[in-house]
Amino acid sequence: MLYLVGTPIGNMQDLSSRAIEILSHVELVACEDTRRTGLLLSHFGISAKLMSYHEHNKAAAGSKLISRLKEGAEIALVSDAGMPSISDPGEDLVKACIEEGIDVTTVPGPVAGISALVLSGMDTRHYYFEGFLPVESKERKIRIDVVSKMPSTTILYEAPHRLLRTLSDLSEAGNGNRKASAARELTKKFEQVVRGTIDELISHFEEVPPKGEFVLVLEGAVGKEEKRVLTSEERQNRIIYLENSGMSTKEIAKTLALEWGESKKALYDEVLKMIK
Ligand code: SAM
């Protein structure tokens, strides 16, 4: 059995009691950095056998792990922080286990992206996880185009020394007025969430240089797109729908101003003309 075990993203106390139990009883803990995981385990008095499994040795180390798992070994996989397999090694090993008929389970723990999403105050019903943008320019442009059109709340990971460049690239791609939040050092002493438009975040981080680990959350880009394609019939239908739901002209204008990003006064006149 392979256990995918979530570990803290900053605050040691976020290691669950089930994670402690599993990490204490498995035969082997596969981890990105044996020193780092060793420190975490010793903090909880766990002495486990560690094996290194990271981006650069995952093919060879993965085969060894699969052989042990096939012999019936109980093995835990952890990453340096958060959930393994989320912008961290793990998915190849899970795929191999599935192919080999080896049981895989999870001991869930913190994920930086989800923690930043719930703190962003943005739509959490539909969200999209991009993770790190590629550094190489052609690939990067393709992903920025995807993010620029993404209708769902979008989550990005970024290193502090690249944060301003990423914000500027997003702004240049037409996202300057898009709402965003930058969550920094989550669960740690200097946790902070900076909210504003992308251009406002640029001004902020030009004054206060980014330090620590960051997650960027962007509001979905759908509003702009929908506004452009709404036909007059669709506009009318929406107004009639809101009127039938019992709203006053003023309430309809206020709702649509928020929904369509248009002037409340102009919408008030439009609604009044239509329902007369
Ligand atoms: N597996 C991890 C997870 O479940 O979130 C992500 C690992 S990824 C290699 C590391 C990135 O996650 C960092 O560069 C940063 O963008 C984000 N991150 C990790 N810990 C964080 C924290 N405490 N606060 C803000 N962002 C964090």
Side-chain angles (χ1 to χ4, degrees):
M1 166 83 82
L2 175 70
Y3 296 86
L4 298 166
V5 181
T7 57
I9 56 170
N11 189 323
M12 291 273 209
Q13 298 313 312
D14 290 336
L15 189 72
S16 74
S17 44
R18 188 167 156 242
I20 295 173
E21 187 195 316
I22 300 291
L23 292 169
S24 307
H25 97 243
V26 289
E27 288 162 55
L28 187 63
V29 176
C31 56
E32 283 187 275
D33 179 343
T34 50
R35 209 186 69 87
R36 194 169 164 156
T37 299
L39 284 174
L40 175 76
L41 297 187
S42 74
H43 180 86
F44 289 95
I46 304 170
S47 60
K49 196 168 167 222
L50 301 179
M51 174 179 156
S52 124
Y53 177 82
H54 50 70
E55 211 42 55
H56 309 290
N57 76 348
K58 64 183 184 187
S63 307
K64 280 189 203 147
L65 289 170
I66 290 292
S67 306
R68 295 285 307 273
L69 287 161
K70 276 165 107 176
E71 289 161 11
E74 303 250 284
I75 296 178
L77 176 69
V78 300
S79 63
D80 279 352
M83 282 304 287
S85 202
I86 301 296
S87 294
D88 267 338
E91 67 178 64
D92 292 353
L93 193 59
V94 174
K95 275 185 204 148
C97 285
I98 294 166
E99 276 162 22
E100 298 288 344
I102 298 163
D103 287 337
V104 186
T105 189
T106 180
V107 182
V111 177
I114 297 297
S115 307
L117 170 70
V118 298
L119 287 178
S120 71
M122 293 176 201
D123 179 11
T124 55
R125 190 162 159 227
H126 303 285
Y127 60 87
Y128 164 76
F129 179 75
E130 174 69 23
F132 290 101
L133 286 171
V135 182
E136 194 270 315
S137 66
K138 195 171 156 218
E139 269 292 298
R140 186 174 171 88
K141 192 182 170 314
I142 293 170
R143 299 313 307 169
I144 286 182
D145 282 351
V146 170
V147 166
S148 302
K149 294 185 189 115
M150 182 51 61
S152 308
T153 308
T154 297
I155 304 165
L156 293 152
Y157 283 167
E158 197 47 280
H161 63 281
R162 290 211 191 94
L163 188 80
L164 265 171
R165 184 187 154 205
T166 291
L167 288 169
S168 304
D169 288 354
L170 287 165
S171 177
E172 271 170 36
N175 298 284
N177 287 325
R178 200 161 153 184
K179 273 196 198 150
S181 89
R184 165 179 175 257
E185 296 287 87
L186 290 166
T187 76
K188 301 185 203 175
K189 189 173 173 196
F190 296 109
E191 174 177 301
Q192 184 189 26
V193 183
V194 184
R195 301 182 180 86
T197 63
I198 288 188
D199 284 348
E200 284 165 353
L201 293 194
I202 294 175
S203 308
H204 173 84
F205 289 111
E206 274 171 352
E207 259 181 47
V208 185
K211 266 195 216 146
E213 299 194 274
F214 280 91
V215 181
L216 277 177
V217 182
L218 314 182
E219 189 176 54
V222 74
K224 281 187 289 179
E225 299 297 316
E226 271 185 358
K227 192 173 74 176
R228 242 182 271 128
V229 298
L230 274 192
T231 62
S232 57
E233 196 190 345
E234 284 169 326
R235 290 176 77 92
Q236 279 181 17
N237 287 344
R238 182 76 185 128
I239 292 170
I240 291 163
Y241 175 84
L242 293 178
E243 206 218 346
N244 289 343
S245 71
M247 281 188 177
S248 68
T249 307
K250 205 172 152 193
E251 285 165 339
I252 298 175
K254 196 173 163 194
T255 304
L256 294 180
L258 281 173
E259 231 172 74
W260 295 344
E262 294 176 16
S263 132
K264 203 160 57 181
K265 167 84 183 69
L267 282 163
Y268 183 86
D269 294 342
E270 185 179 336
V271 175
L272 209 57
K273 223 159 86 189
M274 189 187 301
I275 61 179
K276 249 190 200 167

